[in-house]
Amino acid sequence: MDKEEQEGRATWVPGAVIVGAGPSGLAAAACLAARGVPATVLERSDSLAFTWRHRMYDRLALHLPKRFCELPLLPFPAEYPTYPCKDQFVAYMEAYAAAAGVAPRFGASVEEAAFDASAAAWAVRLAGGEVLMTRWLVVATGENAEPHVPDFPGMQQFAGRVLHTCEYKCGEEFAGEKVLVVGCGNSGMEVSLDLCRHGAKPSMVVRNTVHVLPKEMLGVSTFGIAMALLKWLPVQLVDRFILAAARLTLGNTSRLGLRRPKTGPIELKNLTGRTPVLDVGTLDHIKSGKIKVVGAVKEVTRVGARLADGKEEQQFDAIILATGYRSNVPSWLKDGGDVFTREGTPKTPFPDGWKGRNGLYTVGFSQRGLLGASSDALCVARDIHCQWRERERERDKPTSDVHQADSSV
């Protein structure tokens, strides 16, 4: 679309445009609404919290206590358990949007967003050609917008089922089958456990080192203990304490094929964004042999796979890719190079990566989960509100004041 055509079809939007109606986008909209700043929330799917609603497996519950996962301005219901399940979290999102008066535009897929220097605004082009102009663009599509599907050699010839965890719901349909689970993060661990409990025979691929921690220690959240200790102690000392407690609780995970990184779990998270795995019972099934730990996939064959730690082909009925997600920002955001890398990840680490140039903001890219998204949303709303208030003052300034100011120049 050329510039003249764009200007002819463009609609100026009061306030901000927020791309994404997941937790990050809803938090940004709610925080802006609380300050009296309007926002248009664009969501390509047909529902809010689409990833949580449609791409998560049935047994999923929050890995952290609800007090670390609530969004600004509205706590979780008191009757919710410490670790709300997927359906409870979706219900919380719906109540959150309703309480804040946030009504996203569903089916609004952003094809391109670029800064128009002549208009000093962002031009957001939707599928179908509609263009929205805004002074403030908030990118809230998050780090998990698109499934990451690696292409292993020979994958196309595999005769069984291949699916990403975004398609996985329950292990019941895999009962009696040998299943290769590629990935040993929280999703890979939980899917392996779910498969095992439904009578499947999972083998979990572990390519790299991984920190596995107990979900709780003495009935208290491991994450909560770490956050409390970090207020008083350096991160390396807290890591040493957490790892010592993990060894007492879980034993030596290296003997199970789960080697730990040399860097501690919290320090590693801060440096790379790699999240430690919180054990929900998977280790007990590995110890009993019900879940096998295997090496990296070297090649997929018609009936199974060859693994890097063995020469013989192993047969599998299905392959589940617990290989995570990735950002889709590079596919549609132009002029965002000061904030995002070419992979759509933040250039500036938390807590300072929420603001770019020319009215560009981000929420939910801090690699700090819902807690980080909440922090981003509060900062973004505060900054936009200051500019909004200044523009309102300029607009409401009496004409005579403007004339006097002109005459004095």
Side-chain angles (χ1 to χ4, degrees):
M1 180 183 298
D2 59 34
K3 186 173 181 180
E4 290 185 1
E5 184 181 0
Q6 172 177 297
E7 292 178 348
R9 299 181 61 182
T11 302
W12 276 92
V13 176
V17 167
I18 301 172
V19 184
S24 298
L26 296 179
C31 290
L32 285 169
R35 291 178 174 270
V37 181
T40 299
V41 181
L42 305 176
E43 170 56 44
R44 64 178 178 176
S45 73
D46 60 358
S47 62
L48 55 81
F50 177 84
T51 296
W52 279 86
R53 192 187 302 268
H54 297 294
R55 287 181 169 176
M56 298 298 180
Y57 39 92
D58 293 343
R59 66 163 282 118
L60 179 67
L62 294 180
H63 295 126
L64 304 181
K66 61 183 179 182
R67 65 190 178 95
F68 294 113
C69 300
E70 61 190 25
L71 300 181
L73 310 175
L74 185 68
F76 279 95
E79 65 271 18
Y80 273 25
T82 302
Y83 302 96
C85 68
K86 178 183 76 169
D87 291 341
Q88 289 172 323
F89 185 78
V90 171
Y92 169 68
M93 288 288 92
E94 293 174 339
Y96 187 84
V102 178
R105 280 187 57 181
F106 297 116
S109 179
V110 175
E111 291 192 341
E112 181 181 274
F115 185 70
D116 185 338
S118 63
W122 288 87
V124 182
R125 177 165 55 85
L126 307 182
E130 181 183 3
V131 176
L132 304 178
M133 303 294 292
T134 179
R135 300 290 182 192
W136 304 289
L137 176 64
V138 182
V139 180
T141 48
E143 302 156 332
N144 302 320
E146 303 291 346
H148 172 53
V149 180
D151 186 17
F152 293 109
M155 182 74 84
Q156 299 299 323
Q157 64 177 318
F158 182 62
R161 287 181 290 177
V162 179
L163 65 156
H164 190 273
T165 49
C166 68
E167 303 170 89
Y168 178 90
K169 296 304 177 186
C170 178
E172 185 176 6
E173 60 181 297
F174 298 92
E177 295 186 3
K178 295 183 65 177
V179 182
L180 182 66
V181 179
V182 182
C184 62
N186 281 301
S187 294
M189 289 277 193
E190 286 203 41
V191 166
S192 296
L193 178 62
D194 189 58
L195 287 166
C196 190
R197 288 179 173 174
H198 283 90
K201 304 171 185 176
S203 295
M204 184 175 64
V205 172
V206 179
R207 292 191 310 153
N208 302 311
T209 55
V210 58
H211 277 301
V212 182
L213 304 176
K215 190 173 183 177
E216 293 184 342
M217 295 188 295
L218 300 176
V220 181
S221 159
T222 300
F223 181 81
I225 292 174
M227 292 300 99
L229 292 176
L230 285 172
K231 295 179 180 179
W232 306 99
L233 301 174
V235 63
Q236 291 85 357
L237 192 57
V238 175
D239 273 338
R240 288 174 61 184
F241 172 82
I242 294 297
L243 288 175
R247 186 179 181 91
L248 287 173
T249 306
L250 304 176
N252 185 358
T253 59
S254 295
R255 295 179 179 177
L256 304 176
L258 303 169
R259 295 177 298 108
R260 292 192 182 278
K262 293 182 179 180
T263 306
I266 301 175
E267 186 178 9
L268 188 66
K269 171 69 173 175
N270 292 342
L271 291 173
T272 67
R274 285 180 59 187
T275 302
V277 174
L278 298 177
D279 182 49
V280 291
T282 308
L283 289 190
D284 288 339
H285 286 71
I286 294 176
K287 292 175 183 177
S288 67
K290 294 180 180 178
I291 297 175
K292 294 183 179 180
V293 173
V294 299
V297 175
K298 183 178 181 180
E299 177 188 14
V300 176
T301 66
R302 192 182 68 83
V303 294
R306 290 188 177 89
L307 305 176
D309 58 357
K311 297 181 180 179
E312 294 184 4
E313 176 184 19
Q314 296 192 30
Q315 295 187 0
F316 295 102
D317 300 298
I319 298 175
I320 298 176
L321 302 173
T323 46
Y325 296 81
R326 59 177 45 168
S327 166
N328 69 1
V329 170
S331 68
W332 59 270
L333 179 65
K334 314 303 175 186
D335 309 312
D338 63 315
V339 177
F340 293 101
T341 66
R342 289 187 298 178
E343 291 74 33
T345 57
K347 284 186 174 181
T348 305
F350 181 82
D352 301 315
W354 54 270
K355 184 177 181 180
R357 294 193 299 261
N358 301 321
L360 178 65
Y361 298 89
T362 76
V363 177
F365 291 88
S366 64
Q367 298 180 326
R368 294 296 187 280
L370 294 167
L371 201 61
S374 295
S375 174
D376 290 342
L378 290 167
C379 291
V380 168
R382 187 184 308 116
D383 197 72
I384 293 179
H385 175 250
C386 289
Q387 299 173 59
W388 172 267
R389 185 173 55 186
E390 187 61 31
R391 286 182 175 274
E392 290 288 285
R393 288 174 180 171
E394 289 296 323
R395 189 190 66 182
D396 296 339
K397 186 179 293 186
T399 307
S400 57
D401 289 353
V402 177
H403 288 163
Q404 289 177 8
D406 290 341
S407 63
S408 63
V409 174

